[in-house]
Amino acid sequence: MKNRVFALPLIALVGACATVPAAETVATAPASTAPAAPTETAEQITQRLNTWFDAKFEEALAFSPIQQTYLGRKTDYDKIDDASLAAEDRYLAWMRAATAEMQTNFNRDDLTPEGQISWDMWEWNLATAEAGVPFRQNRYVLHQFNGTQSFYPTFLINQHRVESESDMVAFISRLRESARALDQSLAQSQANAAAGVRPPRFAYEGVIDQSRKITTGAPFTDGEASALWSATDSKLASLVEAGAIDQARSDALRAEARSALTEALQPAYGRIIAWFESDIGNTSEVAQGVSALPNGAVFYNYRLSQMTTTDLTADQIHEIGLSEVARIRSEMEAIKESVGFEGDLQAFFTFLREDDQFYFSQDDKGAQDYIDAAEGHLEELNKRLPEFFGTLPKADLVVKRVEPFREQPGAAQHYRPGTPDGSRPGTYYAHLSDMRAMPITTLEVIAYHEGNPGHHMQVSISQELESLPKFRSQGNFISAFGEGWALYSELLAKEMGAYDDPYSDFGRLTTEMWRAIRLVVDTGLHAKGWDQEQAVAYFLANSPIPETAVRSEVMRYLVMPGQATSYKIGMIKIQELRAKAEAELGDDFDIRGFHDTVLGGGSVPLTILETQVDNWIASQKGG
């Protein structure tokens, strides 16, 4: 899973997932009448537009200090984004004005095909932002799965680099700023609850638990240092060691950080805990899908459109899921037979869940063994990448255990991007508190999904593209594209020579089944009235995934409606486009050229991806 910044103005409105197909957006956009200069070529006009795009990208970044940091910049380094609805309104007004300016000063018909895609993407981003406005009160802001209460500490610990005294001063300022942003998130949660929209009870329990863990230990309470305090000491120690500050200055900054933590951040978490404890009684004892909430059915349709970038209905997605589950079960049966297992597929699932040979030990050594094995698989597959890709990522990748305050048994592994300049590597995070929820059979395939050729390759190549305007290379993460690519990469790795052990190949099928089940379960929960136990039962009946992980997954789907459908829908589209290119080009089909085309346009909705591949096919025929 690719994990990006949560809903901030820049991310929510520029880098958000889709709501409507691009073709519809373009068809309804106001026509531009601005003529091109008689002597300008399409390439020159497109370059002018790209220069305009890059200037507007800088204006957009001013709304989000957090995104600036994610991109490796230290501008507004002492600030945290304004997380209020008023800030979203200001950004939306800016986006409307910028789009009108583009339509007045440029004409889409005058651009190169790549320039037209950039035009479509810009208009599409505005359309997605507009489409989300009616559903602001349907969003779950604070919940157990990467809610804002866990985001800020994670961001400050991992993304805020301290290389000078001013960086440390900015870090301390951000500790206080985070308290303000948490209060804004709490205010939105309270307003949504007043409108009848509350996440399930387990989400309340998760928010309370994580908030307590974040504020337990020094300097908040007695005991060992909290994660934030350990990070503070580590950042200060690095400055002293580098000679950037002396010990006296370090002690003074440490006292300032203690004050920010105990006087600003701890009370903010206290307010979150107090309100969630007081309101938890208003949640349903049985978790409900969003369609049971006010405006929920329409909201879910919006989420499906946003996450799949298609007009597929819940019923259609459900049926695709059922068909894929049946297909993958037959492939699982074949592997079960090949290893000589006596018994049906359900018995084989039980064998895989329970036999000790498929797990590392339940201790820190086992966790490290897991990380070492993932690194080993990635290192081996990296050797084959040049055979399948013309463009390779420059950024490094590290495999890391999730921080203790947000580590959850069975929770999904995830990826967070590095910086475009390579100063911070991409990170593949694994939840390793329960090694019985992390089977060895799926270790290899998940490493490819999160690392290369999956998320790390896709995101890093996008960030490193110099031919695209920055709003495309650095500003977008579209779930159907990014997660679809990562799932496609799991199967591609087999083509590249991975999974030489049949149990690892079964693990590959397990994760593909996992994503097929998501189509069935997500739509079941949010559109067909399924309850939590019904979803868990369907999951366990069709996969060997440990029950701890299954329950964590189902809770994730309940608080992130529609997101889980993006993986398989995106993968299927990429497979369809590859099959189309292979059929039309025959012996002239170049797998490296196809992959470079898919990854060479940044993160795009599936409709625009199809246009990119069609353009490439036409260019290959013409060449």
Side-chain angles (χ1 to χ4, degrees):
M1 174 186 173
K2 159 72 168 55
N3 200 305
R4 193 87 166 175
V5 187
F6 58 94
L8 296 161
L10 177 65
I11 306 305
L13 304 181
V14 171
C17 300
T19 52
V20 292
E24 295 179 15
T25 305
V26 173
T28 58
S32 171
T33 58
T39 58
E40 278 191 303
T41 64
E43 288 75 15
Q44 289 171 325
I45 298 167
T46 298
Q47 184 54 55
R48 274 202 300 117
L49 179 59
N50 285 347
T51 300
W52 181 89
F53 279 140
D54 284 350
K56 291 301 174 184
F57 181 70
E58 296 302 318
E59 291 180 19
L61 276 181
F63 287 87
S64 180
I66 287 175
Q67 183 68 349
Q68 293 169 43
T69 300
Y70 266 98
L71 295 177
R73 305 186 185 192
K74 290 188 176 181
T75 48
D76 292 329
Y77 212 44
D78 59 341
K79 297 180 176 63
I80 291 289
D81 299 28
D82 185 338
S84 67
L85 294 182
E88 291 188 24
D89 286 336
R90 288 192 293 273
Y91 187 82
L92 182 56
W94 175 87
M95 190 66 180
R96 288 168 178 156
T99 304
E101 181 181 330
M102 178 187 75
Q103 293 166 346
T104 299
N105 295 321
F106 297 90
N107 190 322
R108 184 182 184 279
D109 292 340
D110 295 333
L111 304 171
T112 64
E114 191 62 54
Q116 290 178 347
I117 287 176
S118 294
W119 176 287
D120 294 346
M121 281 296 300
W122 187 272
E123 290 187 328
W124 179 86
N125 280 332
L126 174 60
T128 65
E130 300 278 16
V133 171
F135 303 109
R136 286 174 172 176
Q137 286 196 322
N138 291 90
R139 299 186 304 206
Y140 296 152
V141 181
L142 295 166
H143 57 79
Q144 88 289 353
F145 191 85
N146 294 322
T148 58
Q149 78 287 341
S150 67
F151 169 79
Y152 291 117
T154 305
F155 169 76
L156 289 169
I157 291 168
N158 295 295
Q159 272 69 48
H160 187 105
R161 291 177 293 128
V162 171
E163 298 165 324
S164 67
E165 180 180 351
S166 63
D167 291 346
M168 192 65 205
V169 172
F171 175 80
I172 295 168
S173 174
R174 276 183 155 171
L175 292 174
R176 293 187 180 277
E177 280 273 290
S178 296
R180 182 263 307 156
L182 285 170
D183 282 338
Q184 290 176 319
S185 294
L186 178 58
Q188 284 193 46
S189 295
Q190 291 168 331
N192 291 359
V197 175
R198 292 178 173 86
R201 183 166 296 183
F202 62 74
Y204 272 57
E205 294 167 346
V207 169
I208 293 167
D209 179 63
Q210 290 175 19
S211 297
R212 282 180 175 153
K213 286 179 178 176
I214 290 165
T215 54
T216 295
F220 307 110
T221 64
D222 294 336
E224 296 182 2
S226 66
L228 279 168
W229 194 234
S230 292
T232 299
D233 280 341
S234 176
K235 293 175 192 294
L236 285 170
S238 67
L239 291 181
V240 172
E241 183 177 350
I245 59 174
D246 59 23
Q247 189 60 49
R249 181 57 176 153
S250 175
D251 292 343
L253 288 170
R254 191 171 189 265
E256 291 179 24
R258 176 188 290 273
S259 175
L261 287 166
T262 59
E263 296 175 9
L265 203 60
Q266 185 176 19
Y269 277 108
R271 288 186 286 273
I272 288 173
I273 293 168
W275 185 79
F276 272 78
E277 286 182 333
S278 68
D279 194 59
I280 195 169
N282 294 318
T283 60
S284 172
E285 291 188 19
V286 178
Q288 298 175 297
V290 294
S291 293
L293 303 175
N295 203 35
V298 181
F299 172 61
Y300 186 57
N301 290 335
Y302 154 76
R303 286 287 294 178
L304 290 178
S305 174
Q306 183 187 47
M307 291 298 159
T308 67
T309 69
T310 72
D311 58 2
L312 290 170
T313 66
D315 285 343
Q316 289 172 321
I317 292 171
H318 194 83
E319 289 302 316
I320 291 170
L322 292 173
S323 175
E324 285 292 282
V325 166
R327 177 187 63 80
I328 297 167
R329 280 186 70 100
S330 68
E331 295 187 29
M332 286 180 158
E333 289 277 5
I335 292 181
K336 174 181 72 72
E337 295 298 325
S338 73
V339 298
F341 183 82
E342 296 182 2
D344 61 14
L345 193 58
Q346 196 62 46
F348 192 54
F349 290 165
T350 300
F351 166 65
L352 293 172
R353 288 191 194 109
E354 296 181 356
D355 197 290
D356 289 346
Q357 68 176 299
F358 300 118
Y359 299 92
F360 290 115
S361 58
Q362 181 60 43
D363 51 25
D364 287 342
K365 180 183 181 303
Q368 188 59 50
D369 287 343
Y370 191 99
I371 291 173
D372 292 344
E375 290 175 336
H377 287 303
L378 288 167
E379 183 178 354
E380 282 301 309
L381 198 70
N382 284 347
K383 299 174 184 177
R384 299 289 309 278
L385 292 177
E387 301 172 36
F388 291 82
F389 297 87
T391 302
L392 299 175
K394 300 172 185 175
D396 291 332
L397 172 70
V398 297
V399 185
K400 187 175 180 180
R401 185 174 181 174
V402 170
E403 300 84 359
F405 66 84
R406 67 184 184 96
E407 193 168 40
Q408 302 175 51
Q413 301 180 66
H414 53 279
Y415 172 80
R416 284 189 174 151
T419 53
D421 65 2
S423 59
R424 186 185 68 242
T427 305
Y428 156 28
Y429 284 99
H431 289 264
L432 300 174
S433 56
D434 182 1
M435 297 308 298
R436 299 298 291 195
M438 303 295 287
I440 296 172
T441 53
T442 56
L443 182 156
E444 184 177 357
V445 65
I446 294 174
Y448 304 144
H449 179 105
E450 304 296 347
N452 291 332
H455 283 316
H456 180 67
M457 171 166 276
Q458 179 254 310
V459 174
S460 298
I461 287 176
S462 178
Q463 289 184 333
E464 294 162 8
L465 290 171
E466 296 182 356
S467 60
L468 296 181
K470 290 179 181 177
F471 89 93
R472 287 180 59 188
S473 64
Q474 299 179 18
N476 281 332
F477 179 75
I478 296 169
S479 192
F481 177 86
E483 300 298 358
W485 171 262
L487 188 53
Y488 167 82
S489 295
E490 296 179 11
L491 182 58
L492 176 64
K494 181 176 175 65
E495 192 176 342
M496 296 170 69
Y499 317 117
D500 54 3
D501 178 87
Y503 289 108
S504 284
D505 198 26
F506 195 90
R508 175 189 64 79
L509 286 176
T510 297
T511 62
E512 188 178 4
M513 175 67 89
W514 187 349
R515 280 39 175 261
I517 288 171
R518 284 175 169 177
L519 300 182
V520 179
V521 168
D522 197 278
T523 52
L525 288 166
H526 295 294
K528 295 182 176 295
W530 285 25
D531 63 28
Q532 195 171 350
E533 291 306 313
Q534 187 176 356
V536 169
Y538 182 84
F539 218 126
L540 292 175
N542 289 287
S543 83
I545 296 171
E547 184 172 346
T548 302
V550 166
R551 291 192 174 277
S552 177
E553 280 286 301
V554 171
M555 289 190 289
R556 168 186 163 186
Y557 308 156
L558 282 162
V559 298
M560 299 177 67
Q563 193 273 343
T565 66
S566 62
Y567 299 70
K568 206 69 177 70
I569 298 302
M571 177 196 192
I572 289 170
K573 173 54 72 174
I574 294 171
Q575 289 176 305
E576 288 175 351
L577 292 175
R578 176 172 168 178
K580 179 181 181 180
E582 289 173 335
E584 294 201 24
L585 296 176
D587 292 341
D588 292 330
F589 175 79
D590 174 17
I591 189 64
R592 295 179 4 138
F594 173 76
H595 289 150
D596 287 355
T597 298
V598 172
L599 298 184
S603 187
V604 296
L606 300 182
T607 46
I608 289 181
L609 177 62
E610 186 163 6
T611 298
Q612 289 178 194
V613 173
D614 286 345
N615 289 345
W616 176 71
I617 292 172
S619 72
Q620 297 300 106
K621 288 180 176 179

